[in-house]
Amino acid sequence: MNILLRTDFKTNARGYTLLIARDLFGDLSVVRCWYGLHNNRGGHKHEPCNDWHEALKAYQRITARRLRRGYQEIAPVEVENAA
C-alpha cells in the first residue's frame, strides 16, 4: 500500500489513523483504523474512491468528525532512513 496522506488522532482511551492510499492495482481508497489504547479492541475500514478529489473530500469530512468528537490530532513523526 502506497500511503499518500496520513493523520493520527488520539483521545484518553482511543486512537484513530486516517489514510489516503493506493493499493497494488493503483486504486485510491480512504483507510480508517481505530484501536483502544488500554485494550485490544479495534478495526479498520477501506472506502474506495474514484479520484483524488473524492478521496480528499472524504478525508476532510472524517477529519472534521474526529475533531468534533474530541480527538486530538497527533503531529506526524519524521523517520530518518537508516541507509
Side-chain angles (χ1 to χ4, degrees), residues 9 16 18 32 45 58-72:
F9 301 93
Y16 197 90
L18 182 60
R32 311 176 207 195
K45 180 179 181 179
Y59 189 89
Q60 291 169 339
R61 175 180 44 86
I62 296 165
T63 297
R65 175 177 264 177
R66 290 298 110 202
L67 294 174
R68 277 195 315 268
R69 292 192 176 187
Y71 284 79
Q72 299 295 319

Side-chain angles (χ1 to χ4, degrees), residues 15-33:
Y16 197 90
T17 301
L18 182 60
L19 311 166
I20 295 179
R22 287 195 185 275
D23 62 12
L24 291 174
F25 302 107
D27 297 329
L28 280 172
S29 62
V30 176
V31 181
R32 311 176 207 195
C33 303

